[in-house]
């Protein structure tokens, strides 16, 4: 009798544990990284010459807020925001690059995006292709100040590794154990190695 009474007293707690729902994961999967292509690859560009970049990523992602168990078309372009830093290489103490904010940017496909917080990156929202299979962008960057430069990812992209990225330009600035280090809005950022970034000089 005491055993039965004990079970009756504990049963509400046991049922609560058994019936408690699991922590549901709700949200959209992260987009695939953009692979950025340089349309007019060169080691040296003339002042004001435009460097054209393009990239695309699939528009189909897993949406964990639905019961569908396969990728779905995501129509919110802000999910696919990306960005790039244009860096001027230098040999400052503890840093070997600085964010260059004087580049002129042409948005051919996609449009600029402005965050409420400080950001010196080139941030942009891509466009959905006509067949709705990809989000893509195309932009041009031109610089009038001579020097050596690098374009690195700010969010979720890297440059096409099958193409020449002019990494030899970085040799004379490689003072931090094969790292690119720079400051942005008071924070220090580090990018490892030279793969996945694009180096060039402006005459």
């Amino acid at each position: 009798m005491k055993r039965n009474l004990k079970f009756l007293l504990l049963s509400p707690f046991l049922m609560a544990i058994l019936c408690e729902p699991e922590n549901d994961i709700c949200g959209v999967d992260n987009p695939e990284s953009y692979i950025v292509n340089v349309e007019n690859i060169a080691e040296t560009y003339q002042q004001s010459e435009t460097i054209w970049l393009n990239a695309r990523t699939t528009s189909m992602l897993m949406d964990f807020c639905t019961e569908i168990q396969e990728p779905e078309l995501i129509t919110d372009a802000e999910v696919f925001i990306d960005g790039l830093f244009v860096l001027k290489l230098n040999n400052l103490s503890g840093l070997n690059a600085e964010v260059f904010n004087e580049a002129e940017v042409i948005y051919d496909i996609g449009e600029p995006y402005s965050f409420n917080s400080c950001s010196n990156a080139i941030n942009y929202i891509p466009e959905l292709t006509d067949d709705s299979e990809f989000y893509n962008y195309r932009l041009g960057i031109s610089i009038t100040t001579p020097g050596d430069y690098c374009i690195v990812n700010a969010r979720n992209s890297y440059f096409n590794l099958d193409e020449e990225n002019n990494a030899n330009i970085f040799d004379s600035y490689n003072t931090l154990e094969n790292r690119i280090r720079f400051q942005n809005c008071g924070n220090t950022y580090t990018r490892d190695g030279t793969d996945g970034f694009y180096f060039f000089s402006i005459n």
Side-chain angles (χ1 to χ4, degrees), residues 84-121:
L84 299 167
F85 284 112
V86 177
L87 306 177
K88 191 172 190 298
L89 302 176
N90 58 42
N91 284 310
L92 297 176
S93 177
L95 305 171
N96 52 10
E98 58 185 332
V99 177
F100 187 78
N101 291 318
E102 298 174 19
E104 180 182 350
V105 183
I106 303 167
Y107 295 90
D108 182 50
I109 300 174
E111 59 186 57
Y113 184 85
S114 178
F115 290 95
N116 291 329
S117 58
C118 176
S119 176
N120 290 317

Side-chain angles (χ1 to χ4, degrees), residues 11-169:
S11 61
F13 299 103
L14 293 173
M15 292 302 293
I17 292 172
L18 292 174
C19 297
E20 186 176 343
E22 295 181 5
N23 291 330
D24 292 332
I25 299 174
C26 186
V28 177
D29 199 10
N30 291 327
E32 293 180 2
S33 296
Y34 288 95
I35 301 177
V36 183
N37 300 293
V38 182
E39 297 178 13
N40 52 335
I41 291 176
E43 186 169 329
T44 301
Y45 298 90
Q46 300 304 310
Q47 295 178 41
S48 299
E49 184 177 357
T50 301
I51 304 168
W52 287 102
L53 313 174
N54 69 70
R56 62 169 43 185
T57 189
T58 179
S59 61
M60 307 293 287
L61 301 177
M62 292 295 296
D63 185 348
F64 300 107
C65 298
T66 70
E67 296 181 359
I68 299 174
Q69 299 298 311
E70 58 185 34
E72 302 176 55
L73 170 64
I74 305 299
T75 56
D76 182 3
E78 290 193 7
V79 172
F80 299 88
I81 289 172
D82 201 35
L84 299 167
F85 284 112
V86 177
L87 306 177
K88 191 172 190 298
L89 302 176
N90 58 42
N91 284 310
L92 297 176
S93 177
L95 305 171
N96 52 10
E98 58 185 332
V99 177
F100 187 78
N101 291 318
E102 298 174 19
E104 180 182 350
V105 183
I106 303 167
Y107 295 90
D108 182 50
I109 300 174
E111 59 186 57
Y113 184 85
S114 178
F115 290 95
N116 291 329
S117 58
C118 176
S119 176
N120 290 317
I122 299 169
N123 298 296
Y124 43 82
I125 297 180
E127 288 184 9
L128 188 62
T129 56
D130 291 340
D131 58 12
S132 297
E133 291 186 9
F134 300 96
Y135 278 95
N136 66 341
Y137 68 83
R138 182 176 188 260
L139 56 85
I141 296 173
S142 63
I143 297 172
T144 58
T145 305
D148 296 325
Y149 293 85
C150 177
I151 304 177
V152 302
N153 63 301
R155 296 174 65 83
N156 189 34
S157 60
Y158 59 90
F159 283 83
N160 191 338
L161 299 180
D162 294 331
E163 301 290 349
E164 176 60 53
N165 72 343
N166 307 319
N168 58 291
I169 291 174

